[in-house]
Amino acid sequence: MLLTPEEWTAVRLSLQVAFWATLWSLPPAILIGWVLARFEFPGKGIFDGIVHLPLVLPKVVVGYLLLIVLGNRGYLGQYLHEWFGISLIFSTAGATVAAAVVSFPLTVNAIRLAIGGIDKGIETAARTLGASKLDAFFSVTLPLMMPGVLSGCLISLASALGEFGATITFVSNVEGQTRTIPLAIYSATHMPDGDAMALRLTVVSVVLALGSLMLAEMADKRIRVALGQI
């Protein structure tokens, strides 16, 4: 199956956006997953709900909220634009932000479940041997939660590859900048002769998504074997 240059551009852009969205969202996802799994505090339920809100909100709503917050005239976006010259509208960076926000809860949830499955007694033992909370986290908790981290990243990657609603609402549909695979398929369906293009990109999308999910399962199993959890 041969792709046209326009289709290759959409595939390359999708992979780029998904990769950076996953990478930049990973550190806060680890922190928030750890907090939700290990700490109790007033308002935890509300905080948890806010973190997972992008999963249940219509993606167009997520995109609109990003627009009124990070747009050039948004609550924060106006200062980014005026003070630093940063404009997320119609840009690949904006598409990355949209994909990161939508897929973020998936990473958090996988990490939270992974941490929840770790015996607190192991962390307590590390503390009794003189390790601080931070030392115990990096030397004990983080290695044991790696299967969840990797699975969360790959699932988040698959989700980012398929993101549509928030992206088109926040940064529009600009070829070479924000037109990822889903947006390219949408554009193709509005062309008189776009059926073949839409079908080719659909096949690519299915292969990439299925490959990500299979890789997540394989990686999770291999890491668990290496850690002696299986």
Side-chain angles (χ1 to χ4, degrees), residues 81-141:
H81 183 61
E82 293 174 5
W83 295 351
F84 306 105
I86 297 174
S87 177
L88 296 176
I89 303 299
F90 310 125
S91 71
T92 303
T96 302
V97 171
V101 170
V102 170
S103 60
F104 182 72
L106 296 172
T107 312
V108 171
N109 195 50
I111 292 172
R112 179 183 184 179
L113 291 174
I115 296 175
I118 299 173
D119 186 358
K120 290 184 179 180
I122 301 175
E123 298 172 330
T124 303
R127 294 288 307 281
T128 59
L129 293 175
S132 65
K133 284 187 177 181
L134 199 59
D135 291 334
F137 174 78
F138 282 106
S139 62
V140 176
T141 309

Side-chain angles (χ1 to χ4, degrees), residues 22-230:
T22 302
L23 184 65
W24 286 111
S25 64
L26 182 57
I30 291 176
L31 175 61
I32 292 176
W34 179 52
V35 169
L36 290 175
R38 286 291 187 253
F39 297 93
E40 296 295 332
F41 52 88
K44 179 180 177 180
I46 297 176
F47 178 69
D48 191 11
I50 293 173
V51 169
H52 289 87
L53 203 55
L55 281 180
V56 295
L57 278 177
K59 300 305 179 281
V60 173
V61 173
V62 175
Y64 180 69
L65 290 174
L66 288 173
L67 187 63
I68 63 177
V69 173
L70 296 176
N72 289 346
R73 296 182 179 179
Y75 296 115
L76 298 179
Q78 60 179 321
Y79 301 110
L80 291 176
H81 183 61
E82 293 174 5
W83 295 351
F84 306 105
I86 297 174
S87 177
L88 296 176
I89 303 299
F90 310 125
S91 71
T92 303
T96 302
V97 171
V101 170
V102 170
S103 60
F104 182 72
L106 296 172
T107 312
V108 171
N109 195 50
I111 292 172
R112 179 183 184 179
L113 291 174
I115 296 175
I118 299 173
D119 186 358
K120 290 184 179 180
I122 301 175
E123 298 172 330
T124 303
R127 294 288 307 281
T128 59
L129 293 175
S132 65
K133 284 187 177 181
L134 199 59
D135 291 334
F137 174 78
F138 282 106
S139 62
V140 176
T141 309
L142 187 59
L144 292 175
M145 63 187 260
M146 281 309 297
V149 172
L150 187 56
S151 294
C153 284
L154 291 172
I155 293 173
S156 176
L157 185 74
S159 173
L161 285 170
E163 162 45 34
F164 174 80
T167 302
I168 198 170
T169 306
F170 180 41
V171 294
S172 191
N173 185 4
V174 182
E175 184 177 353
Q177 294 294 323
T178 68
R179 187 174 294 174
T180 54
I181 292 176
L183 274 70
I185 294 173
Y186 173 78
S187 298
T189 60
H190 288 73
M191 300 177 184
D193 56 347
D195 289 347
M197 177 181 177
L199 180 59
R200 287 192 296 269
L201 288 174
T202 297
V203 172
V204 172
S205 182
V206 170
V207 170
L208 289 174
L210 185 59
S212 298
L213 294 174
M214 292 176 63
L215 187 60
E217 182 66 24
M218 292 170 57
D220 178 73
K221 185 175 181 179
R222 285 182 178 272
I223 293 177
R224 289 185 183 278
V225 170
L227 293 173
Q229 296 179 355
I230 297 180

